[in-house]
Amino acid sequence: MGTRNAIDIQRIKESADYVRYLALECIERAESGHPGLPLGCADLGVLLYRYILKVNPDVPLWPNRDRFILSAGHGSMLLYPLLYLVGYNITLADMANFRQLGSKTAGHPEYERKLGIETTTGPLGQGFANAVGIAIEGKMMAQRFNEAGFNLFDYTVYTLMGDGCNMEGISYEAASLAGHLGLDNLIAIYDSNHISIDGRTDITFTDDVAKRYEALGWHVEFAASSDIETTFRKLLELKDTKGKPRLLIFNTVIGDGLDKKRDTNDIHGSPAEIPEIAFFIQNSSAIRELFEKKYGKGAVTDKQALEEILAKRITNQKTEPLLAFAESDEFMRQMRRETQAIYREWEERLAQYKEAFPEKYNELSRYLRFELSASLHDKLVNYSYQKSNATRFISGEVLNLCAVEIPQIVGGSADLADSTKGLVKGSPYIKRGDFSGRRIAFGIREHAMAAIGNGLALNKSMIPFSSTFFTFFDYMKPAVRLASLMRLNHLFIFSHDSIYVGEDGPTHQPIEHLNSLRLLPNLYTFRPANDIETAFSYLYFLKHMNGPVALITTRQKIDEKIMGIVPAGVSREEFYNMFEKGGYVFYETAGKGEPGIVLCGSGSEVSLARETAALIEARNNIKVRVVSIPCLELLNETECSYREQLFNQFNKPVVFIEAASHRGIHLFCDRHVVMIDIHSFGKSAPGKQVAESFGFTAEAVYERIEKQLA
Amino acid sequence: MGTRNAIDIQRIKESADYVRYLALECIERAESGHPGLPLGCADLGVLLYRYILKVNPDVPLWPNRDRFILSAGHGSMLLYPLLYLVGYNITLADMANFRQLGSKTAGHPEYERKLGIETTTGPLGQGFANAVGIAIEGKMMAQRFNEAGFNLFDYTVYTLMGDGCNMEGISYEAASLAGHLGLDNLIAIYDSNHISIDGRTDITFTDDVAKRYEALGWHVEFAASSDIETTFRKLLELKDTKGKPRLLIFNTVIGDGLDKKRDTNDIHGSPAEIPEIAFFIQNSSAIRELFEKKYGKGAVTDKQALEEILAKRITNQKTEPLLAFAESDEFMRQMRRETQAIYREWEERLAQYKEAFPEKYNELSRYLRFELSASLHDKLVNYSYQKSNATRFISGEVLNLCAVEIPQIVGGSADLADSTKGLVKGSPYIKRGDFSGRRIAFGIREHAMAAIGNGLALNKSMIPFSSTFFTFFDYMKPAVRLASLMRLNHLFIFSHDSIYVGEDGPTHQPIEHLNSLRLLPNLYTFRPANDIETAFSYLYFLKHMNGPVALITTRQKIDEKIMGIVPAGVSREEFYNMFEKGGYVFYETAGKGEPGIVLCGSGSEVSLARETAALIEARNNIKVRVVSIPCLELLNETECSYREQLFNQFNKPVVFIEAASHRGIHLFCDRHVVMIDIHSFGKSAPGKQVAESFGFTAEAVYERIEKQLA
């Protein structure tokens, strides 16, 4: 692939125009979308998918495929046509359904490896940092599994970033670490079009970008969309430049192919509108021909007639298919034949590897299809620490107990490993030229840490963890959100969990963070009360592998008396099943009859509840129930009757103790409130349809409350 | 000041050692703190406060004072001794109380301008970005008020940043904007000691920092703590270098003055311990002398005896004062005499300015002491928009209605001004050399935007606003938190507030953000339902000026029927007072008797509640009350009886409708839960004392629930 010298410029341009056509018409149909980037980068996209990327649309999960990360995710209508053209499972009909409810072609690309969508992008800078994570994964896999003559892993990560990605701090952080690590399997392409939403970038962005990346240890080259030949050559050269990550500063024109909107901010994020599309069609020989074939020559030459045709196509979009372009299909799918040859070579290599290195092959299989071993399951279920200690120490011990058995566990901290205990003991840091280690010194770059961890998690071969003080979750939030949205198996370890941090003061004492995390769909937040709950939290993560888990640990020691408590009469396995309900009766004071009050909480406040229970027992002769709630989200999801049993069964007061900020109408409404709210992330579709799909219509609300009206 | 050539190196070194002594002993007493930076930067600190900074400890709020921002806030024990020595209201006793409950000398510096603490720092990179904001304020004030011969504003902002600040993405973002704007009243000093918490920085951080800053348009120089003379000269030169912000890369040795812990990560964030302090004392002629004077020569020469003395000083810390050093006092307070002369000159200049430019003088007074005019109050109270539109448009209109009357209102957006409508109409962007504008093109740098806005708010002369899509609040959160902690008058405008964003999909649809914001103490989140509530939200912000306000607006249009609704029988003024309670009866359907159900919500869901009410009215013959809750926090704070009236009075079902994620035990607990939680930020003191102060002890919890037990 990369070594071929002849490229067919003519065909590239035709296919690029076809990409432009698809972008323009689909965005027009959706009345929403971002044509600017797809139009500016169409030639590059075709070049990459046709001649550069080693991917196999028939085996999209091929672990050694090259990756293409569209960090500037708003340009999704660049990606979908390319995936369609090279044969991924995206059709013209899917594209005609751009941005509609349930469509494969969401407003911004949504992680679906089978479709060739390697990550969810849109929030700027995130995809770039994901790409750094994937590049680290590539280096790690190569060093773990490649043998002389058996290059199983040598993929290259390409990422396309825009001005926005480059202005975001996260891209600086990730680039700084990539440069430090010398990630020469990473090629970033900076779509430099000098335009952002508010106007020309020179109103705010005048970095010398090349110099800046060089300062971070990158190799930088230039090219322009007007010169495909040179761009191709530079991309090949960059691939061969070793020792550093590479940046291609790629000059483009936003909205290329249009008339008045070309090179303006108008075209960044709004449909081009019919007169501009007509101009484009008339001036593109390939697309003009497509239209002429269907509508006749006269209809295309006459601008007004063409505009009417286009208007009709938009109006009748439900029945009117997008125009197909057989020559472009044919041209682009040659890539498929070529990469499939490469893929088959790889498969053969793997088969020989299996013979030559059977143990390594088995280990590789375990990487690619993780299963929790029964022995580790048992160790975690039966874990005890016994002594008094902070849960962050216990977490460190349990993490390492897991890491010993699961070599895929890699990660580190944002310069606080010794405080959070988020480190794999006995392992070196990864560094330039040596990725055998399992520790990553992320530096004081929380945001990049989380997004790089996401990148490591994307292919599901590595199991990454990130750690820092809980208060600095704030710095990472956008990436934690994406981990949740993508359900990545990324473990977030946050220590120093509340006011008990003490002397470092309010900047270092998380107050609102616990409930902020709990608000995130798909993510489960565990705040363990003791040793067993800490081990169970790890077990939950490793057993389910269905999305991120945040583990919240204390700075301060937990009382020995709290350790190792197992509810009476249940086995450890049964106890774990109770734990999976999110809350359980931790303890009841002595005495006959029903509890007269229920105290509940999480983490260190379970200790406090227990102490308070002792006071009540001594002074009021009332039996007290203490309920531990290690995971409020799970308790939220469990059956109603279980919660009734815990809290409401005896119709007695319930006291919730948590050193965290809580808000909500429930705090002051003296009755059970019917909540019409949202439990999952949003969807890509017109706003009204999204609202309907969530039940935010008067009819749906009425239905929800009909019972109350009786 | 800055022009003086002779500096007294000997005295500087003595005072620096005194700063070291104070840092070491106070941190030892607190058993907590960060000695590394104070020891490494003590000479620089003394140099700055003695010879460079134009500040007046007697008039700490002097608007033209130079600013010193300790971005590396963990080094707070550098700042407090310096403030003490030059005569701010910080005493030896205050320092002996370092990191204790209620102390002036908190773990990390906490914003208190009267003490010379210009901002709260600790979360890395924030102080640096604040400094950029203050520098912008300086440029704005200069351009608005300076006249030929009347340089009222020409202050310089100095900020000391560490490796951590430099690794954080926010510092890149802020530096990029500072370079773009050519802020030549800003001097950053990078304490480069090659050590961070996890070890030597070369495990993760190998940027060419000079080149990186140059790429962003900065002028860069080098100096080292070992050469005070050159450092002084470079600082003077930098001050005279025009056209660019300046960075001094300042090589230091962490823990300088110690024995084994010098130049190690051990000394970053833990007490030095007695043997190291004894070593320091024996090797510092100035401090040795202090101890000899008090304890005799022999006691200091004998290391064991000295260690015993130190141990006793720590044990008896409640009664044992810190050692005073009269010569250092005398030396440092000469600065005060010199800067007071400069201050008096400025005062005289101001008096002459008052004569020469009475109108401008009056305007300046209005800047420095903002009061909402009665006329604007009236306009906001009586505001109506009437037509159907999105609240973001209405917000834009109201913002400009305010901006016309309040010239201090400045701000902008992170490249989304036209979407959020967060812009001052008719004003140009500020730019290099011209800061007359009121619009700031922050670029796609949400995090820096928020922190720069904080910097603009610190001196309370400007009233800044920041705006972006609500989903990107995540990128700004750490700075929004600090605005809340400092109660800065910073208006955050977040548009595109929920799933109704539609086609851009889940990455752009905020779900969890609304309740995340509400969890922040001191900040009030308004999600207006219509035109009046939007105007009232602005009125609340401008009337109270007691901390940040977040205004959450819709992308989509709000029904015309919802606009302009005033509860029956109340005047607009009375209505505003109801609004300040956070929630009110928006509407009741027709019919006699009591409502049979209460529907409540915020923002666009008030429209939905009203529609649903119509269905109920039509189908069930039940009277429906619709309650609008524009600010849940205010409703939380208002008197209980008012809330009872709204929700519980008729003992009927309550339905809460909000297109946002909610979590909490209340969601499934079928009774009013007693909440033992936290409503304010944490405090700087030992963890146990902090917990006690928040009532997180068994006794305090018991007291809270005693009534329930009866």
Side-chain angles (χ1 to χ4, degrees):
Chain A
M1 299 283 294
T3 55
R4 182 170 306 94
N5 284 315
I7 56 171
D8 189 333
I9 301 282
Q10 178 59 25
R11 290 283 184 206
I12 290 174
K13 289 196 168 175
E14 281 174 17
S15 287
D17 272 355
Y18 185 53
V19 169
R20 289 189 176 93
Y21 155 71
L22 290 173
L24 286 167
E25 183 162 332
C26 293
I27 290 169
E28 211 63 31
R29 286 170 180 234
E31 296 177 58
S32 152
H34 298 74
L37 185 149
L39 268 61
C41 292
D43 303 270
L44 172 77
V46 170
L47 181 67
L48 278 173
Y49 272 86
R50 173 61 188 84
Y51 290 110
I52 305 275
L53 293 175
K54 282 182 315 175
V55 293
N56 184 350
D58 293 318
V59 187
L61 271 57
W62 176 24
N64 195 37
R65 70 193 180 281
D66 284 345
R67 311 294 204 276
F68 176 69
I69 306 295
L70 182 65
S71 187
H74 50 274
S76 57
M77 269 314 295
L78 173 68
L79 185 60
Y80 304 140
L82 294 167
L83 295 175
Y84 155 71
L85 282 170
V86 297
Y88 283 93
N89 186 19
I90 288 180
T91 64
L92 284 179
D94 290 327
M95 278 185 285
N97 208 21
F98 179 52
R99 296 191 153 218
Q100 304 310 302
L101 207 59
S103 147
K104 286 178 191 167
T105 54
H108 291 78
E110 294 180 12
Y111 178 50
E112 187 56 83
R113 289 178 301 159
K114 287 181 186 162
L115 300 179
I117 304 173
E118 301 285 1
T119 184
T120 295
T121 50
L124 295 175
Q126 300 288 337
F128 176 81
N130 291 168
V132 172
I134 304 171
I136 292 174
E137 195 218 14
K139 291 285 182 185
M140 284 180 159
M141 293 299 276
Q143 194 153 351
R144 280 156 181 70
F145 296 107
N146 289 359
E147 293 287 343
F150 293 93
N151 259 2
L152 293 185
F153 293 97
D154 58 0
Y155 62 76
T156 303
V157 186
Y158 296 86
T159 180
L160 182 60
M161 68 197 307
D163 289 302
C165 291
N166 260 324
M167 282 189 245
E168 291 287 1
I170 185 175
S171 72
Y172 156 67
E173 292 181 6
S176 172
L177 188 56
H180 171 77
L181 293 172
L183 296 175
D184 57 9
N185 55 346
L186 174 65
I187 296 180
I189 303 167
Y190 165 32
D191 169 25
S192 177
N193 60 30
H194 307 291
I195 296 281
S196 60
I197 298 175
D198 280 349
R200 297 200 70 78
T201 52
D202 61 12
I203 60 171
T204 186
F205 185 54
T206 44
D207 289 7
D208 180 338
V209 175
K211 188 171 176 180
R212 169 185 146 199
Y213 274 83
E214 282 168 1
L216 309 182
W218 286 57
H219 176 81
V220 180
E221 293 282 350
F222 292 84
S225 59
S226 54
D227 183 350
I228 302 173
E229 190 77 49
T230 306
T231 305
F232 179 60
R233 192 169 41 75
K234 292 271 182 174
L235 282 169
L236 296 187
E237 278 174 25
L238 283 179
K239 210 183 150 180
D240 293 334
T241 310
K242 292 296 170 196
K244 290 178 171 190
R246 285 77 44 99
L247 177 72
L248 183 69
I249 297 183
F250 186 60
N251 281 303
T252 67
V253 179
I254 195 169
D256 208 4
L258 300 184
D259 182 17
K260 297 189 185 67
K261 293 189 176 177
R262 182 180 183 274
D263 199 24
T264 71
N265 55 340
D266 283 353
I267 199 62
H268 168 87
S270 304
E273 296 180 343
I274 285 171
E276 290 282 331
I277 303 180
F279 174 91
F280 162 73
I281 294 169
Q282 289 186 323
N283 289 281
S284 159
S285 57
I287 307 306
R288 194 176 56 229
E289 220 170 279
L290 281 189
F291 272 80
E292 283 173 356
K293 237 182 260 172
K294 186 166 168 95
Y295 295 102
K297 205 151 190 160
V300 178
T301 312
D302 178 350
K303 192 155 187 230
Q304 202 183 326
L306 180 56
E307 288 185 10
E308 277 165 25
I309 288 169
L310 288 168
K312 212 174 282 176
R313 291 182 58 77
I314 307 300
T315 311
N316 303 329
Q317 56 177 284
K318 292 252 154 89
T319 53
E320 193 70 68
L322 295 165
L323 298 191
F325 186 12
E327 290 82 352
S328 176
D329 276 21
E330 169 54 26
F331 170 65
M332 291 298 281
R333 289 184 192 200
Q334 282 171 37
M335 165 274 216
R336 204 165 170 183
R337 286 188 286 279
E338 291 163 14
T339 54
Q340 273 176 351
I342 293 173
Y343 172 73
R344 277 191 301 273
E345 267 175 49
W346 186 87
E347 265 198 330
E348 278 163 33
R349 209 179 312 146
L350 184 66
Q352 291 161 4
Y353 183 89
K354 185 177 178 181
E355 297 294 311
F357 310 99
E359 277 184 31
K360 284 206 128 182
Y361 177 86
N362 285 336
E363 185 166 356
L364 175 58
S365 306
R366 284 192 300 270
Y367 266 69
L368 297 179
R369 194 178 307 225
F370 172 73
E371 266 179 46
L372 178 63
S373 71
S375 72
L376 182 55
H377 177 106
D378 284 353
K379 276 183 199 159
L380 292 171
V381 160
N382 294 300
Y383 180 82
S384 284
Y385 187 88
Q386 295 177 324
K387 296 179 297 292
S388 166
N389 211 338
T391 50
R392 66 185 163 118
F393 279 90
I394 299 169
S395 161
E397 224 196 60
V398 177
L399 171 65
N400 277 280
L401 195 150
C402 300
V404 166
E405 302 212 11
I406 307 173
Q408 298 95 304
I409 292 180
V410 297
S413 120
D415 197 43
L416 287 169
D418 201 49
S419 294
T420 63
K421 306 297 167 194
L423 56 90
V424 178
K425 285 179 200 159
S427 168
Y429 288 120
I430 59 167
K431 62 183 184 201
R432 175 185 295 266
D434 181 4
F435 291 81
S436 59
R438 298 169 64 186
R439 290 184 68 173
I440 305 175
F442 284 108
I444 302 155
R445 306 180 182 103
E446 295 84 3
H447 199 175
M449 170 172 71
I452 289 171
N454 287 350
L456 278 163
L458 283 166
N459 209 40
K460 302 189 190 293
S461 44
M462 291 293 170
I463 303 175
F465 67 89
S466 311
S467 75
T468 185
F469 287 162
F470 195 18
T471 195
F472 300 136
F473 155 59
D474 283 351
Y475 279 76
M476 312 162 48
K477 168 72 201 303
V480 176
R481 181 171 215 263
L482 282 164
S484 308
L485 192 48
M486 293 189 264
R487 290 188 186 273
L488 297 179
N489 298 319
H490 185 167
L491 176 66
F492 297 100
I493 302 170
F494 296 117
S495 72
H496 293 61
D497 69 348
S498 183
I499 51 168
Y500 312 101
V501 165
E503 290 89 344
D504 277 334
T507 57
H508 284 56
Q509 292 169 12
I511 294 304
E512 71 279 18
H513 304 68
L514 183 61
N515 283 304
S516 292
L517 257 177
R518 284 173 175 159
L519 292 166
L520 270 172
N522 303 350
L523 178 138
Y524 293 89
T525 306
F526 290 88
R527 186 167 181 248
N530 64 4
D531 50 350
I532 297 182
E533 288 190 5
T534 305
F536 281 9
S537 302
Y538 277 89
L539 179 53
Y540 181 89
F541 175 65
L542 294 169
K543 183 181 164 193
H544 292 278
M545 284 277 134
N546 187 32
V549 157
L551 181 68
I552 316 299
T553 63
T554 65
R555 175 200 179 204
Q556 79 280 13
K557 288 190 176 182
I558 298 292
D559 192 338
E560 200 183 316
K561 287 196 219 85
I562 288 291
M563 297 292 172
I565 293 183
V566 178
V570 298
S571 71
R572 280 290 188 111
E573 281 291 350
E574 287 162 343
F575 181 23
Y576 175 73
N577 291 335
M578 283 166 71
F579 174 87
E580 278 212 353
K581 292 180 187 295
Y584 62 94
V585 178
F586 187 76
Y587 168 86
E588 277 184 5
T589 54
K592 280 180 210 156
E594 298 170 354
I597 191 165
V598 179
L599 307 183
C600 53
S602 71
S604 51
E605 282 79 78
V606 176
S607 303
L608 178 56
R610 197 175 179 279
E611 274 182 78
T612 307
L615 290 185
I616 296 170
E617 188 181 19
R619 295 177 190 170
N620 300 71
N621 196 25
I622 289 175
K623 186 169 172 170
V624 186
R625 167 178 287 186
V626 174
V627 170
S628 175
I629 307 180
C631 181
L632 193 66
E633 301 94 303
L634 285 175
L635 191 57
N636 210 31
E637 287 170 12
T638 199
E639 61 275 27
C640 184
S641 59
Y642 181 80
R643 294 192 303 253
E644 283 290 316
Q645 255 184 335
L646 279 187
F647 300 113
N648 299 329
Q649 189 187 2
F650 310 114
N651 207 28
K652 287 291 155 40
V654 175
V655 180
F656 185 64
I657 313 174
E658 210 165 59
S661 169
H662 294 77
R663 299 254 194 205
I665 182 177
H666 334 81
L667 294 185
F668 43 74
C669 196
D670 201 6
R671 74 200 62 250
H672 189 72
V673 177
V674 179
M675 288 296 294
I676 316 276
D677 64 349
I678 289 190
H679 309 287
S680 61
F681 285 109
K683 297 169 188 171
S684 169
K688 219 174 156 178
Q689 287 177 40
V690 177
E692 276 168 25
S693 80
F694 279 101
F696 279 78
T697 65
E699 279 294 350
V701 173
Y702 183 85
E703 213 172 285
R704 284 281 308 280
I705 61 177
E706 207 168 4
K707 261 195 297 188
Q708 320 287 326
L709 299 168
Chain B
M1 303 278 298
T3 54
R4 184 168 308 94
N5 284 315
I7 56 171
D8 188 335
I9 301 283
Q10 178 59 24
R11 290 284 184 208
I12 291 175
K13 289 197 168 177
E14 279 173 18
S15 287
D17 271 356
Y18 184 54
V19 168
R20 290 188 176 93
Y21 154 70
L22 289 173
L24 287 167
E25 184 162 332
C26 293
I27 290 169
E28 211 63 31
R29 286 171 181 233
E31 295 178 56
S32 155
H34 298 74
L37 185 148
L39 269 61
C41 293
D43 303 270
L44 171 77
V46 169
L47 181 68
L48 278 172
Y49 272 86
R50 172 63 188 83
Y51 290 110
I52 305 277
L53 293 175
K54 282 183 316 178
V55 294
N56 184 352
D58 293 319
V59 188
L61 270 58
W62 176 25
N64 195 36
R65 71 194 179 280
D66 285 345
R67 311 294 204 275
F68 177 69
I69 306 295
L70 182 66
S71 188
H74 51 273
S76 56
M77 270 313 296
L78 173 69
L79 185 60
Y80 304 139
L82 294 167
L83 295 175
Y84 155 72
L85 281 170
V86 298
Y88 283 93
N89 186 17
I90 288 180
T91 64
L92 284 180
D94 290 327
M95 279 186 282
N97 208 22
F98 179 52
R99 295 189 154 221
Q100 304 310 302
L101 207 59
S103 148
K104 285 178 191 167
T105 54
H108 291 78
E110 294 180 11
Y111 178 49
E112 186 54 84
R113 290 179 300 159
K114 288 182 186 160
L115 300 180
I117 304 172
E118 301 284 1
T119 183
T120 295
T121 51
L124 295 176
Q126 300 289 336
F128 175 80
N130 291 168
V132 173
I134 303 171
I136 293 174
E137 195 217 15
K139 291 283 183 188
M140 285 180 158
M141 293 297 278
Q143 194 154 350
R144 279 155 181 70
F145 295 106
N146 289 359
E147 293 289 342
F150 292 92
N151 258 3
L152 293 186
F153 293 96
D154 59 1
Y155 62 77
T156 303
V157 187
Y158 296 85
T159 179
L160 181 60
M161 68 197 307
D163 290 301
C165 292
N166 260 323
M167 283 189 244
E168 291 288 2
I170 185 176
S171 72
Y172 156 68
E173 292 181 5
S176 171
L177 188 57
H180 172 77
L181 293 173
L183 296 175
D184 57 9
N185 55 345
L186 174 64
I187 296 181
I189 304 168
Y190 165 32
D191 169 25
S192 176
N193 60 30
H194 308 291
I195 296 284
S196 61
I197 298 176
D198 280 349
R200 296 200 70 79
T201 51
D202 61 12
I203 61 172
T204 187
F205 185 54
T206 45
D207 288 7
D208 180 337
V209 174
K211 188 171 177 180
R212 170 185 144 198
Y213 274 83
E214 282 167 3
L216 309 182
W218 286 57
H219 177 81
V220 181
E221 293 281 349
F222 291 84
S225 58
S226 55
D227 183 351
I228 302 172
E229 190 76 50
T230 306
T231 305
F232 179 60
R233 191 168 43 76
K234 292 269 181 176
L235 282 169
L236 295 187
E237 278 174 27
L238 284 179
K239 211 183 149 178
D240 292 335
T241 309
K242 292 294 168 196
K244 292 179 170 187
R246 286 75 45 99
L247 177 71
L248 183 69
I249 299 183
F250 186 61
N251 280 303
T252 66
V253 179
I254 195 170
D256 207 5
L258 300 184
D259 183 18
K260 296 187 186 68
K261 294 189 175 176
R262 182 180 182 274
D263 199 22
T264 71
N265 54 341
D266 284 354
I267 198 62
H268 169 87
S270 304
E273 296 181 344
I274 285 171
E276 289 283 334
I277 303 180
F279 175 91
F280 163 72
I281 293 169
Q282 288 185 324
N283 289 280
S284 158
S285 58
I287 307 307
R288 194 175 58 228
E289 222 170 277
L290 282 189
F291 272 79
E292 282 173 356
K293 237 183 258 169
K294 185 166 168 98
Y295 295 102
K297 206 155 193 157
V300 179
T301 312
D302 177 352
K303 192 155 187 230
Q304 202 183 325
L306 180 56
E307 289 185 12
E308 277 165 25
I309 287 168
L310 288 168
K312 211 173 281 175
R313 289 182 61 78
I314 307 301
T315 311
N316 302 330
Q317 56 176 284
K318 293 253 153 90
T319 53
E320 193 72 65
L322 294 165
L323 297 190
F325 186 12
E327 289 82 352
S328 175
D329 276 21
E330 169 53 27
F331 170 65
M332 293 297 283
R333 291 187 190 196
Q334 282 173 36
M335 165 276 215
R336 202 165 168 179
R337 285 189 287 278
E338 292 163 13
T339 55
Q340 273 176 351
I342 294 172
Y343 172 74
R344 277 191 302 272
E345 268 175 49
W346 187 88
E347 265 197 332
E348 276 165 34
R349 208 179 312 146
L350 184 66
Q352 291 160 6
Y353 183 90
K354 186 177 176 179
E355 295 294 312
F357 310 100
E359 276 184 32
K360 284 207 132 184
Y361 177 86
N362 285 338
E363 186 166 358
L364 176 58
S365 305
R366 284 193 299 273
Y367 266 67
L368 297 178
R369 195 180 306 226
F370 171 75
E371 267 179 45
L372 178 64
S373 71
S375 72
L376 182 55
H377 177 105
D378 284 352
K379 277 183 198 158
L380 292 172
V381 160
N382 294 302
Y383 181 82
S384 284
Y385 186 88
Q386 295 176 325
K387 296 179 295 291
S388 166
N389 210 338
T391 49
R392 66 186 163 117
F393 280 89
I394 299 170
S395 161
E397 222 195 62
V398 178
L399 170 66
N400 278 280
L401 195 149
C402 299
V404 165
E405 302 213 10
I406 306 173
Q408 297 95 303
I409 292 180
V410 297
S413 120
D415 197 43
L416 287 169
D418 201 48
S419 294
T420 64
K421 306 298 169 193
L423 55 89
V424 178
K425 286 179 199 158
S427 168
Y429 288 120
I430 59 168
K431 62 184 183 202
R432 175 185 296 266
D434 181 3
F435 290 81
S436 60
R438 297 168 64 185
R439 289 183 69 172
I440 305 175
F442 284 107
I444 302 155
R445 307 181 182 103
E446 296 84 2
H447 199 175
M449 170 172 71
I452 289 171
N454 287 349
L456 278 164
L458 282 166
N459 207 41
K460 301 187 190 293
S461 44
M462 292 293 172
I463 303 175
F465 68 87
S466 311
S467 75
T468 185
F469 287 163
F470 195 17
T471 195
F472 301 135
F473 155 59
D474 284 351
Y475 278 76
M476 313 163 45
K477 169 73 202 301
V480 178
R481 182 173 215 261
L482 282 164
S484 309
L485 192 48
M486 292 190 265
R487 290 186 184 274
L488 297 178
N489 298 320
H490 185 167
L491 177 66
F492 297 100
I493 302 170
F494 296 117
S495 73
H496 293 60
D497 70 347
S498 184
I499 51 170
Y500 312 100
V501 165
E503 291 90 344
D504 275 335
T507 57
H508 285 57
Q509 292 169 13
I511 295 303
E512 71 279 19
H513 303 68
L514 182 61
N515 282 303
S516 292
L517 256 178
R518 286 172 174 159
L519 293 167
L520 269 172
N522 304 349
L523 179 139
Y524 293 88
T525 305
F526 290 89
R527 187 167 181 249
N530 65 4
D531 51 350
I532 297 182
E533 288 190 5
T534 305
F536 281 8
S537 303
Y538 276 89
L539 179 53
Y540 181 90
F541 175 64
L542 294 169
K543 182 180 164 194
H544 291 279
M545 284 277 132
N546 187 32
V549 157
L551 181 68
I552 316 300
T553 63
T554 64
R555 174 200 181 205
Q556 79 280 12
K557 287 191 177 182
I558 297 292
D559 192 339
E560 199 182 318
K561 287 197 221 82
I562 286 293
M563 298 292 173
I565 292 184
V566 178
V570 296
S571 71
R572 279 292 189 112
E573 281 290 349
E574 287 163 342
F575 181 24
Y576 176 73
N577 291 335
M578 284 167 70
F579 174 87
E580 279 213 354
K581 293 181 187 294
Y584 62 94
V585 178
F586 187 77
Y587 169 86
E588 276 184 8
T589 54
K592 280 179 207 154
E594 298 170 356
I597 190 165
V598 180
L599 307 183
C600 54
S602 71
S604 51
E605 282 80 78
V606 176
S607 304
L608 179 55
R610 196 174 179 281
E611 274 182 79
T612 307
L615 292 185
I616 296 170
E617 188 180 21
R619 296 176 190 171
N620 300 71
N621 195 26
I622 289 175
K623 184 169 175 170
V624 187
R625 167 178 288 186
V626 174
V627 171
S628 175
I629 307 182
C631 181
L632 193 65
E633 301 94 302
L634 285 175
L635 191 57
N636 210 32
E637 287 170 13
T638 198
E639 60 275 26
C640 185
S641 59
Y642 181 80
R643 295 193 302 254
E644 282 291 316
Q645 255 184 335
L646 280 186
F647 301 113
N648 299 327
Q649 190 186 0
F650 311 113
N651 206 27
K652 288 287 155 40
V654 176
V655 180
F656 185 64
I657 313 174
E658 211 165 59
S661 170
H662 294 78
R663 297 255 194 204
I665 182 173
H666 334 80
L667 295 184
F668 42 76
C669 195
D670 201 6
R671 72 201 61 249
H672 190 71
V673 177
V674 179
M675 289 294 294
I676 317 277
D677 64 348
I678 289 189
H679 310 287
S680 61
F681 285 109
K683 297 168 186 171
S684 169
K688 221 175 152 173
Q689 287 178 41
V690 177
E692 277 168 24
S693 81
F694 279 100
F696 279 78
T697 66
E699 279 294 351
V701 173
Y702 184 87
E703 214 171 285
R704 285 280 307 281
I705 61 178
E706 208 169 4
K707 260 195 297 190
Q708 319 288 325
L709 298 168

